[in-house]
Every structure is written in C-alpha cells, then in structure tokens.
Amino acid sequence: MNAASNSERPEGEPVSLWVATAGSTDFPVLDGDIDVDVAVIGGGIAGLTAALGLKRAGHTVAVIEAARVGTGVTGHTTGKVTSLHRLTYTGLARNHGNNNARTYGQANQDAIEHVAQIVAQEGIDCDFRRVANYTYAESDDALERVRAEAALTARLGLPAAFTTEVPLPFPVKGAVRFDGQGQIHALKYVQGLARAVNGEGSFVFEGTRAQRVRDGSPGVVDTERGTVRARDIIVATNVPFGGQGLFYLRSHPHRSYIVAGRVDTPPMDATFISADEPMRSILTVSGGGSSYVLSGGEGHRMSESGDTAGRYRRLAAFAHDRLGVGEIAYRWSTQDGIPLDGLPYVGLMSPTSKHVYVITGLRKWGLTNGTAAALILTDTLTGRENRWASVFNSNRLTPVASAGRFIRENLKTMSAVLAGKLSGPPSPAALAPGEGAVIKAGGKSTAVYKDDDGQVHAVSAVCTHLGCTVGFNSADVTWDCPCHGSRYATDGTVIQGPASKNLPPAPQP
Ligand SMILES: Cc1cc2nc3c(=O)[nH]c(=O)nc-3n(C[C@H](O)[C@H](O)[C@H](O)COP(=O)(O)OP(=O)(O)OC[C@H]3O[C@@H](n4cnc5c(N)ncnc54)[C@H](O)[C@@H]3O)c2cc1C
Ligand code: FES
C-alpha cells in the first residue's frame, strides 16, 4: 500500500486567492443541439480570448466549459502579464535563432497590450495594473546569465535593461528588468471575457464537458446533453483531452505551487522571479481588504511529485523569512504544458486536420502566450495573415535538439508508468482520516481515500486517459496521474486533463 497522509496539512486555506476573491459565474449547461460558426472548447484565457476576438470579427461562437469559466489553470496562476519569462530568450535564440526569439517576444508584448485594451474597452474590473517585471540573481553564475539575457532582449527590441536596483526586501546582485509589464486578477478578467462573449447569437456554456470532437463540414462537438455544430472548432482545454494531436507526447505537464500570505504593506509596482534555483516567483496584490504577497515555485514534472506538503512548507518558509509575510492565507497548485522545443503549439490539431485547431504548450506563461495564441487563431479563422503563426505552428517540424528531449521526456513518463505498476502489495490496513492509498486486491488497483469524517471513498486507480496508476496527493487531496498529468477529485471527478472521463466508483478492497 502506498499511503499518504494529509494529517499535517500545510498552512493556508487550500484554495487559490483568485478563486476565493472572485464572484462566481452562472452560465447555463448546453442542453440540445446548436449551430454556430466556431465552437471553442475550454473557458480559460486562451479559449475566451479567441472567442471574443472571433465574435468581434463577426462570427458566432459557442464556448463549452466543463466546470466554471476561468477556474482551470487560469484561476490558479500567479497573475503576471509579461513578456519576461525568466531567462527564456537565451534558450530560444540558441535553439530557434534570434528572429524567432524576437517573434516570441513581440507576440507576448502585443499580448500585454491586447489585455490592457480589452480591460479598458470592456470595462473589466480585474485589478489590471502596470508593473516592472524582474528576473533577479543572487549568485555570480546567475548574475552572468541575467546580464546576458538583458543584453540579448534589448537587442531583440524588448523593453529590457540590466539593473542593480531591485526593490526586493533582501539583497540581490542584479536583475534584468522589463518595463511596462502588467499583473492581473486573471479569473476576474476571464469572467469579464465570458460576459462579453455571451449574447447576440454567441454562447457560453458551463458544466458542459466536451466528450468527442468530429472534424468535418460542419465539425461537431459532442457533449453529454447536446452537440455543437460549427464550421471550425478550437480545442483550448490547456492540454487537448483524449489523444488528440498526441500533444501529451509533445509536451509534459509541469506543476508549481503558490502560497499567498498577508502583509501590512501596499502592493509594489513590481513582480519578480529568481534566476537561481530553487526558483521563486513573487507578486504583491491587494484584494478583499487585505494585501498579499504571492510566493510561487517548487516546480516539478508530474512524475516527480514527492512530498507535496513539504513543497508548500518550503514556500511558506521563504515567504516568512525573506518577504516578511505573516499568516499564509491561501495555498494552491496547478500545472501547465511545457513544449518540447520551448514554443507553444498553435494551429491545426494535426497535419491532416481540416477544421479542428489547438492551443497548448503555454509553458507556464499562458496569460500572454495564451492571449497571443488566441490572436493567431482569430486571424487564421478570419482569413487574415498573422506574423507569429509560423513560429507557433502546432505542426512545425521538430528540431533535432527537441527530438532528444522527446526521448528523454517520454522515458521519464515510462518510469512513472512502471513505478505505478510496481507499487506495493495489497495492504488494506485502516487508513487514518485524511489518508489516501492505492490498494491492489483481486488484480485491481483501487484508489481509496478516507475523509476527515472517517468515510471511505473508493474509485478505480486506473487513469482514464491511457491507463497509468494514479497516486494520492496529500497536500491538495487529489488523485494525480504521473504519466500525463490528469488530476481527479477524491470522488473521481476529472479536475485536469488530458483525461476526459471520471475515475469510476469501485468496491472497497
Ligand atoms: C503555478 C503556475 C503559475 C503561473 N503563473 C503565470 C503567470 O504569472 N503569468 C502567465 O502568463 N502564466 C502563468 N502561468 C501559466 C498560465 O496560467 C496558463 O498558461 C494559462 O492560464 C492557461 O490557460 P488555458 O486557457 O490554456 O487553460 P485553462 O485556464 O486551464 O482553461 C482550459 C479550460 O478547459 C476546460 N476543459 C478541459 N477539458 C474540457 C472538456 N473536455 N470540455 C470542456 N471544457 C474542458 C477546463 O475546465 C478549463 O477551464 C502559470 C502556470 C502555473 C502552473
Ligand atoms: S494522464 Fe495519461 S495515462 Fe494518466
């Protein structure tokens, strides 16, 4: 038995600050069949930005969201709206050349301006404000890398400078600073996008999970209680559900953790990320009458989850010790797809697709990458040329460098599969309240969780995506699949794909 306990839960309510401080939406469930120009599956920042762009261009759209809009990765983000992505450009220029690195930067810069414009034009109350964003160095080695990134990004025409003036409450050696960047309450922003999309022949549906996508003229999206027929379909579910486009092989999910602690000081006009390891991301914000400092980090591949409670504790210690944070109010985690070659995938789902498009691989910078991706597809579906489309093309040829990475990443997934298959012998000894374990009995693996009231919940431990064995995440109280990152609630409900079906109930072993 591979048991894990949440009896020593880390500090803070296990909910994102953004979810805790945004009101909720109440769009209807799709019930019946409808026809629109474009069906958009997924009500996160990528899907809803595309939907609004297409509606503004004169198309009718239907957004199909499995849960509530914005409550996926977007509602669990840090909230930086920036084109400075730690030290990304050095790697992009090395692997893809300066021109493609420049295009990536321009797309992300334009995405910042697009968000600012939409906030103003639609009057969305989402705490968007301009800040400087810093990648800071504490070690000599990181200082060199920060200097190089600053010099390169300035040459690429981005708003970059090297500085030793970094407004952090602890000493650092220097930083690359991008001016005119932003931060946002991304969930409130996305709720505002949804309100702008809904109406005049366009729709937003919540509580409606797409089960199947059929390419054709028209294309069809099947859901439990109805279908959407559309000329074009955009799959913006963060990771395409099921096996579509085989993107679960071309990117891997990377999880990170965030704690939000209360402070007495007002928010700074700056956001930060460290160049050194362990990576730390910092953002200050006010909400609900309090000020908070967000500290993020502890990122890992899904196959290497380890002690999740310890990860929250290390972040809390950083917030207390280095940022003067008092009580940790909230904690949460989420994951995003990291593409093999460092560039998001935007375009047709596969080389043979006719009308089905995808946005994925946003590499933990999707508030801008997802916005840029949506602008690309808005142009593509409207017959307009887009200058970033070829660089982000979902069917681009994989460079040699990423072929090696493909093999390495998928070998790691294979080890996760084997680890799941080899987990311990059946041992149905009593679980303590708050503990979960995968128990093997009668040739079946069952995911068993005992809640705080002592009630036992048993579901199949076999991930409905491709059959890996899930493991218990004690800090977030979820069943997580180590292979491609699907995540389930303790009653088996899918929280994050690529799985699209719940873990079915199972008899108690
Ligand atoms: C810890 C962390 C911090 C981050 N911080 C930042 C940051 O500061 N700045 C930044 O730019 N980026 C950041 N990112 C990345 C960014 O948050 C994401 O890239 C972005 O929010 C992804 O948006 P999305 O629309 O692709 O996905 P989502 O917001 O997840 O939207 C997809 C939606 O699809 C729905 N869905 C899934 N399957 C189905 C289905 N079958 N049918 C219908 N609906 C379905 C889901 O419910 C979900 O609402 C961070 C990522 C992580 C992991
Ligand atoms: S997410 Fe692919 S097998 Fe679980």
Side-chain angles (χ1 to χ4, degrees), residues 342-359:
L343 290 166
Y345 299 113
V346 185
L348 284 167
M349 181 64 80
S350 76
T352 56
S353 298
K354 298 275 183 281
H355 299 283
V356 180
Y357 295 83
V358 67
I359 295 175

Side-chain angles (χ1 to χ4, degrees), residues 248 463-468 470 481-486 488 497-499:
Y248 62 89
C463 178
T464 61
H465 178 226
L466 291 178
C468 291
V470 299
C481 180
C483 288
H484 315 108
S486 292
Y488 304 86

Side-chain angles (χ1 to χ4, degrees), residues 435-446:
E435 277 186 347
V438 172
I439 297 176
K440 291 193 176 175
K444 294 221 161 104
S445 295
T446 305

Side-chain angles (χ1 to χ4, degrees), residues 91 178 374:
F178 274 28

Side-chain angles (χ1 to χ4, degrees), residues 52-320:
L52 183 58
L54 288 160
K55 179 179 176 181
R56 285 176 159 199
H59 304 275
T60 56
V61 295
V63 176
I64 301 149
E65 164 55 47
R68 296 272 170 218
V69 295
T71 58
V73 186
T74 304
H76 294 81
T77 183
T78 316
K80 298 176 185 173
V81 184
T82 180
S83 61
L84 175 58
H85 298 170
R86 206 178 182 201
L87 299 177
T88 288
Y89 294 92
T90 303
L92 285 181
R94 185 176 54 239
N95 294 332
H96 298 276
N98 279 0
N99 283 343
N100 288 346
R102 183 181 294 109
T103 301
Y104 178 92
Q106 283 169 348
N108 278 276
Q109 272 295 122
D110 283 14
I112 302 170
E113 299 313 318
H114 183 79
V115 170
Q117 268 174 27
I118 295 284
V119 168
Q121 289 165 355
E122 300 293 338
I124 302 176
D125 176 11
C126 58
D127 311 326
F128 176 76
R129 59 196 193 91
R130 295 287 184 166
V131 292
N133 185 23
Y134 296 80
T135 302
Y136 65 89
E138 292 182 85
S139 68
D140 287 336
D141 169 60
L143 185 64
E144 283 315 301
R145 289 184 284 124
V146 156
R147 276 188 199 282
E149 183 84 352
L152 170 65
T153 47
R155 280 203 304 280
L156 296 178
L158 294 163
F162 174 79
T163 179
T164 52
E165 305 289 314
V166 184
L168 275 166
F170 53 87
V172 302
K173 295 196 166 169
V176 48
R177 186 188 72 225
F178 274 28
D179 289 322
Q181 309 293 290
Q183 69 175 63
I184 199 167
H185 191 311
L187 176 49
K188 286 188 185 172
Y189 174 65
V190 162
Q191 290 176 338
L193 293 179
R195 282 191 291 274
V197 166
N198 197 45
E200 298 101 27
S202 290
F203 307 90
V204 175
F205 297 107
E206 292 185 321
T208 304
R209 185 171 287 280
Q211 294 174 321
R212 195 160 63 123
V213 171
R214 288 182 271 157
D215 203 347
S217 304
V220 180
V221 181
D222 295 310
T223 75
E224 217 165 47
R225 285 159 57 178
T227 59
V228 180
R229 283 183 299 265
R231 188 191 61 226
D232 293 302
I233 298 169
I234 297 176
V235 180
T237 51
N238 193 248
V239 181
F241 57 98
Q244 296 177 84
L246 299 181
F247 285 100
Y248 62 89
L249 295 175
R250 295 165 63 193
S251 62
H252 68 273
H254 209 261
R255 166 92 44 94
S256 286
Y257 301 74
I258 300 177
V259 297
R262 288 204 174 87
V263 285
D264 296 331
T265 45
M268 287 189 272
D269 292 328
T271 57
F272 309 90
I273 195 165
S274 68
D276 289 284
E277 296 295 339
M279 190 276 278
R280 293 290 180 255
S281 177
I282 303 165
L283 175 142
T284 56
V285 67
S286 57
S290 298
S291 289
Y292 299 90
V293 174
L294 272 60
S295 311
E298 295 292 320
H300 61 87
R301 282 180 58 94
M302 280 301 294
S303 51
E304 298 159 354
S305 54
D307 171 15
T308 48
R311 295 183 187 281
Y312 283 116
R313 284 197 197 97
R314 286 193 286 279
L315 283 177
F318 173 79
H320 293 312

